[in-house]
Amino acid sequence: MLARAIAAEWLKLKRKWILALAVIGPLGVVLLQAVNYGLRYDYVMKQNADDPWGGLLQATTGLMLPALFIGLALVASLSAGVEHAAGGWKQLLALPLTRLQVFAAKTLLTLLLLLLSCTLLAVFTLAFGAVLGFSLQELPWPDLLRQSYAPYAAAMPFVALQIGLSLAIGNQAVPMTIGVLGMVVSLFGMLLPDWVPYNWPWLALKAETALRAAAAGLGGGLLLLAAGCMHFTRKDVS
Amino acid sequence: MDMNHGIGQPLGQEGRQPWLLETSGLTKKLGGKAVVRDVELRIGEGDIYGFLGPNGAGKTTTIRMLLGLAKPTRGRVTVFGKDLAKNRLDILRQVGSLVEYPSYYGHLTGRENLEVVRRLLDAPQERIAEALGIVRLEKDANRLVKGYSLGMKQRLGIAAALLGHPRLLVLDEPTNGLDPAGIQEIRELIKSLPQQRGVTILLSSHLLSEVEQMATRVGIITSGSLVYQDRIEQLKRRTAGRIRLAVSEPEAAWKRLLEQGWEARRDERGLTVPGGDDRDIAAIVAELVRERHAVYRVEEERSSLESVFLEMTGTGGSL
Amino acid sequence: MRRLLSAEWLKLRRSIVWLLLPVSPLIAFAVAWKAPLEAIGGAGWMEAYIISANVHGLMFLPLLVGIFAALLCRFEHASGGWKQLLALPVRPGAVYLSKLAALAGLVALLQLLLGAALLAGGLLRGMDGGVPWAELGRALLGGWVACLPLAALQLWASFAWSSFAAPLVLGTVFTLPNMLVVNSERFAPWYPWAQPLLAMMPRSEEGFGAFNVPAESLFLVIGGSFALFLAAGWLHFRRRAV
């Protein structure tokens, strides 16, 4: 049943450029680094001479986190927005599906698309490093995988928040605005105390704190998803 | 007219069991105010049930509760003999619905819209072509729905509602905003469905004339309460005429008749008496002549359905 | 035009714009009042201003221009309002210009609030020395002027796309590279989205990167991109409107 619900959600997002966004996001992050390296190749390479991969990974993540924040807000808003747009809820929820299935389908699709973006980021980064002639033998796999997926897990509370807001509020200007502001706050996240969720994606980048940040993110995300789901299953459809 | 009469029908008419859809004490309060109060709907298999009421009377709220879109504050909904609160999915598998205005995904084609619903229902692929055929949208099936006219969107909504081969079809104001040709088309479609596919239809409207032409049973809701429910023929019988008497001094004549124990009514155009029994009419006329009233005219007056509704709902002819 | 502007004002009254306006002023207020400014060599007005302007100008300001533009056009997209608005006895051009004026007005209000919040925070802290009115005024005004090209572009995008998210994504895609661009002496002066921050940095300060680029080249870029985006948006609007 869930598979069918996700298949239906996927069809609804046709012509919304959503797959393109999932590809363009990580591609843009890496392309911007390509421009950066292209313009200041000698300077950047000299700075990271002893650890070229590390330098590249670090440079990439600076843009990756804001892209992740705006991406999760956008996907959550698009997937809820198609229902808000023209009375979709009353048709969808009068079909033989539980509200939990509807919520789960939309959430899983959002999570899968973001996971795809994170995976593509790792692939594009690797490819770019190879183009620059970095040795694949020296590629720090644990670092690459951690930087690609740990922030994703640590950002889960924000995925849950944006899904909840987008489903609860018909006017998508509100969740999108909150998402954009959240992205700006996240830029300064590392200046905030460790317990503030905006710092978690940053903590997830560092080897020593990655596991804790990812676990906290998954835990917090699940709690918020449960709260959002409870609200969604109980509310009347107008 | 007795306002309570409609609900408490004699058991002989209302007692046939089981009903396909039945509600008991259905109540919805919004902000402390009951927008639907103790509604007892009874819909039989094969009925086209016309659910009538003025705008804002609680029709759509009731329908939302029948579909599980809103939770009743109190009361039960039983469909196909099962409690909706406990068997929502089983019931909804056999229900198709179109609530208020059509739901659609404008950035998808008509066919893709139906495919979304088909995937969720896990219905066979050929149902899409079938549903498109029923509502005659085959030609436009591959166009984006945002370019559809309102009537086409409405037909697409009905196609989506039919996709699961429902036993019960719930159509809320299905002709709202359509032009006369579109209304005629939807009307023919709705009338054909019960015979062709054995569907029971719940059809809501604020227009009496509309329901009158399609419905086999009617329920009338006003200010959240169901004030009438019976077969359409019963309703039409209630319009049976009264006798209008045009006399020289209506005021005095009316008082005299009342003194004599006749059930006479005075209005601005004269007076009326019940038209049931010819001998009563003869006696009344004799009485008036005896009292030296000039009787100009004795005529039967059939009140229209509209005026019956006017009385029941306290609103104008358009409910 | 006056009537159109007052209509825009009415439509804005219940908008979330009013929740967005105080965000960066509140940050400026907190910085001026409580931030450990001594650590960066002095607790003066300009230190507090530079920190606030960095946070505000790098991301908030260019993104808020995009959000405001999308909010201003949302009413019309939401309920077929364009038809209604353009059926009124006003020229389509005037409709477009009134939207742009409302947008510029909101940004001006934002800059004023930022200045006021900074002053309030500084006074609460009991900052020494007189308020550098001229420098502050010039920097805030410069930031406002530098936003005008972005305003014209975002208004165009918000009008052209009925989706609320699309113009926001456009704004974000071009604003995010600011993080890299502002460090480049060669490219920052030519990048429109970096201009609000550059323009808000006081000229007299010993800057780094692009922050001490002559004002003449900045205004060339700002003026040029404004003319380009305004003309493109205007033409598109006129074509669509008729």
Side-chain angles (χ1 to χ4, degrees):
Chain A
M1 182 62 239
L2 197 56
R4 277 186 282 129
I6 292 177
E9 289 301 325
W10 179 243
L11 179 56
K12 284 180 209 167
L13 292 177
K14 200 172 170 181
R15 297 190 192 90
K16 288 285 183 191
W17 291 83
I18 195 129
L19 196 58
L21 278 170
V23 178
I24 290 169
L27 191 64
V29 168
V30 173
L31 278 182
L32 217 60
Q33 278 315 313
V35 172
N36 184 28
Y37 271 68
L39 294 174
R40 328 185 281 166
Y41 183 77
D42 296 328
Y43 170 77
V44 180
M45 290 312 286
K46 205 169 71 195
Q47 281 228 311
N48 304 307
D50 48 337
D51 183 12
W53 278 110
L56 175 59
L57 288 180
Q58 203 182 352
T60 314
T61 50
L63 272 171
M64 175 219 177
L65 292 190
L68 179 64
F69 267 84
I70 194 75
L72 64 88
L74 190 64
V75 177
S77 167
L78 276 175
S79 139
V82 291
E83 311 294 348
H84 290 302
W89 288 121
K90 55 188 164 62
Q91 176 174 285
L92 180 61
L93 298 178
L95 290 170
L97 293 154
T98 63
R99 299 255 182 124
L100 179 63
Q101 283 164 341
V102 174
F103 185 89
K106 289 199 178 285
T107 303
L108 281 174
L109 189 65
T110 305
L111 289 176
L112 284 174
L113 280 164
L114 291 172
L115 190 67
L116 173 70
S117 285
C118 291
T119 305
L120 285 176
L121 182 72
V123 173
F124 293 151
T125 307
L126 202 155
F128 180 53
V131 167
L132 286 177
F134 298 173
S135 153
L136 284 178
Q137 272 83 49
E138 286 167 32
L139 174 68
W141 283 101
D143 291 348
L144 179 68
L145 293 178
R146 186 181 63 244
Q147 300 215 2
S148 303
Y149 295 111
Y152 168 72
M156 210 53 70
F158 299 99
V159 180
L161 176 75
Q162 291 297 142
I163 289 175
L165 287 173
S166 304
L167 290 176
I169 303 173
N171 174 2
Q172 291 301 297
V174 177
M176 272 314 290
T177 302
I178 291 173
V180 171
L181 291 184
M183 180 200 75
V184 180
V185 176
S186 81
L187 287 176
F188 304 96
M190 69 288 221
L191 304 174
L192 299 168
D194 283 4
W195 55 266
V196 180
Y198 284 104
N199 194 2
W200 297 353
W202 293 97
L203 293 173
L205 292 172
K206 290 187 236 150
E208 35 317 345
T209 45
L211 206 60
R212 252 188 316 144
L218 286 178
L222 276 176
L223 276 179
L224 272 178
L225 274 178
C229 185
M230 242 152 62
H231 178 259
F232 179 71
T233 49
R234 285 181 187 180
K235 78 168 183 174
D236 284 352
V237 180
S238 56
Chain B
M1 192 151 307
D2 180 1
M3 297 295 269
N4 294 319
H5 184 67
I7 305 169
Q9 292 296 319
L11 274 174
Q13 283 169 27
E14 290 286 310
R16 71 180 159 113
Q17 292 286 347
W19 296 102
L20 185 105
L21 183 150
E22 191 174 354
T23 68
S24 60
L26 193 64
T27 301
K28 178 78 184 178
K29 288 187 178 163
L30 288 176
K33 187 175 166 284
V35 290
V36 173
R37 196 175 330 129
D38 293 321
V39 164
E40 313 263 333
L41 288 181
R42 304 277 183 274
I43 302 178
E45 182 108 43
D47 278 342
I48 296 183
Y49 184 99
F51 190 34
L52 269 167
N55 289 325
K59 295 189 302 286
T60 298
T61 308
T62 304
I63 285 176
R64 285 183 198 290
M65 289 192 282
L66 299 183
L67 295 169
L69 292 174
K71 286 201 172 55
T73 310
R74 210 174 54 233
R76 272 162 56 110
V77 178
T78 311
V79 190
F80 314 131
K82 292 180 208 153
D83 184 356
L84 179 72
K86 297 197 188 87
N87 304 283
R88 191 173 149 266
L89 294 194
D90 282 346
I91 291 169
L92 288 181
R93 248 183 276 282
Q94 303 180 68
V95 176
S97 65
L98 173 61
V99 180
E100 249 185 325
Y101 49 93
S103 306
Y104 59 90
Y105 303 108
H107 62 289
L108 301 180
T109 65
R111 190 184 303 280
E112 284 163 351
N113 266 270
L114 294 180
E115 173 64 17
V116 166
V117 177
R118 188 200 69 79
R119 286 185 188 179
L120 292 172
L121 288 170
D122 199 19
Q125 194 75 49
E126 56 277 12
R127 293 275 180 87
I128 291 180
E130 179 198 81
L132 284 170
I134 294 175
V135 300
R136 295 210 302 286
L137 271 178
E138 299 103 323
K139 271 204 318 237
D140 299 289
N142 295 324
R143 275 174 51 202
L144 295 189
V145 174
K146 63 181 162 202
Y148 278 22
S149 69
L150 187 56
M152 290 161 74
K153 286 174 185 163
Q154 201 84 13
R155 270 145 63 199
L156 181 68
I158 293 179
L162 288 171
L163 212 59
H165 279 181
R167 270 175 81 190
L168 173 65
L169 191 59
V170 178
L171 303 172
D172 187 17
E173 303 270 4
T175 56
N176 236 0
L178 298 187
D179 57 23
I183 291 176
Q184 187 60 34
E185 203 172 330
I186 297 282
R187 195 181 283 154
E188 294 307 319
L189 177 62
I190 290 172
K191 273 158 83 172
S192 71
L193 286 171
Q195 302 119 27
Q196 285 182 11
R197 348 201 122 243
V199 189
T200 302
I201 296 176
L202 167 61
L203 172 85
S204 87
S205 178
H206 63 284
L207 290 172
L208 168 66
S209 53
E210 177 143 329
V211 162
E212 194 189 345
Q213 295 181 47
M214 292 183 269
T216 55
R217 274 171 69 78
V218 284
I220 299 171
I221 188 170
T222 182
S223 312
S225 297
L226 198 65
V227 293
Y228 181 87
Q229 176 169 252
D230 207 334
R231 302 201 63 77
I232 189 95
E233 297 83 25
Q234 280 307 117
L235 183 66
K236 286 182 175 159
R237 207 163 297 153
R238 297 191 79 169
T239 64
R242 293 177 69 81
I243 301 297
R244 173 164 296 281
L245 299 166
V247 293
S248 48
E249 289 137 39
E251 189 70 25
W254 176 53
K255 285 188 176 142
R256 177 68 195 164
L257 289 178
L258 287 180
E259 278 165 27
Q260 298 286 317
W262 298 106
E263 197 246 287
R265 282 191 210 160
R266 172 88 172 92
D267 61 26
E268 65 275 15
R269 290 195 291 137
L271 67 159
T272 63
V273 293
D277 194 330
D278 287 348
R279 279 167 304 179
D280 287 351
I281 303 300
I284 287 169
V285 172
E287 172 68 25
L288 289 176
V289 171
R290 212 166 26 244
E291 290 294 314
R292 312 191 73 80
H293 287 287
V295 179
Y296 304 132
R297 223 170 296 161
V298 179
E299 57 192 0
E300 186 172 30
E301 185 173 70
R302 298 191 77 90
S303 61
S304 64
L305 271 182
E306 298 284 350
S307 59
V308 172
F309 281 105
L310 179 66
E311 270 183 84
M312 283 186 195
T313 62
T315 56
S318 163
L319 290 177
Chain C
M1 190 74 187
R2 269 222 354 240
R3 280 175 296 130
L4 279 170
L5 271 176
S6 75
E8 290 302 326
W9 171 252
L10 275 176
K11 284 185 268 184
L12 274 177
R13 278 204 310 196
R14 281 174 199 282
S15 167
I16 52 172
V17 160
W18 309 111
L19 295 176
L20 293 172
L21 278 175
V23 175
S24 40
L26 279 177
I27 295 173
F29 176 75
V31 167
W33 185 24
K34 286 287 184 200
L37 298 173
E38 294 79 6
I40 59 162
W45 290 101
M46 289 321 282
E47 280 84 7
Y49 170 74
I50 287 170
I51 295 180
S52 315
N54 257 310
V55 176
H56 175 68
L58 181 68
M59 289 280 153
F60 270 116
L61 187 53
L63 288 174
L64 280 175
V65 171
I67 295 177
F68 290 162
L71 285 173
L72 276 169
C73 291
R74 209 186 71 80
F75 315 107
E76 274 70 24
H77 285 306
S79 45
W82 290 117
K83 271 178 291 180
Q84 195 194 1
L85 197 56
L86 293 169
L88 294 173
V90 290
R91 285 195 311 277
V95 172
Y96 185 79
L97 284 183
S98 70
K99 292 262 178 222
L100 188 62
L103 180 53
L106 281 174
V107 178
L109 189 59
L110 176 61
Q111 296 292 80
L112 284 176
L113 282 175
L114 185 85
L118 190 80
L119 286 178
L123 290 176
L124 269 178
R125 177 193 280 250
M127 254 175 208
D128 301 330
V131 180
W133 292 106
E135 278 177 286
L136 274 183
R138 206 176 56 200
L140 290 172
L141 183 69
W144 179 73
V145 172
C147 279
L148 293 178
L150 310 189
L153 176 71
Q154 291 293 150
L155 197 63
W156 178 20
S158 301
F159 160 73
W161 294 322
S162 58
S163 146
F164 184 84
L168 252 60
V169 169
L170 176 84
T172 310
V173 163
F174 283 106
T175 304
L176 274 182
N178 268 1
M179 293 194 302
L180 294 176
V181 169
V182 292
N183 296 320
S184 159
E185 206 165 326
R186 263 164 62 209
F187 296 95
W190 302 103
Y191 193 64
W193 285 265
Q195 302 313 311
L197 178 62
L198 300 193
M200 285 189 76
M201 284 299 127
R203 301 281 124 226
S204 54
E205 289 292 309
E206 184 60 34
F208 66 93
F211 293 132
N212 44 16
V213 164
E216 292 76 21
S217 83
L218 285 188
F219 280 105
L220 193 72
V221 171
I222 293 171
S225 54
F226 180 62
L228 181 72
F229 293 146
L230 181 70
W234 172 283
L235 284 177
H236 187 194
F237 192 84
R238 289 282 301 268
R239 259 219 342 257
R240 277 267 298 266
V242 179

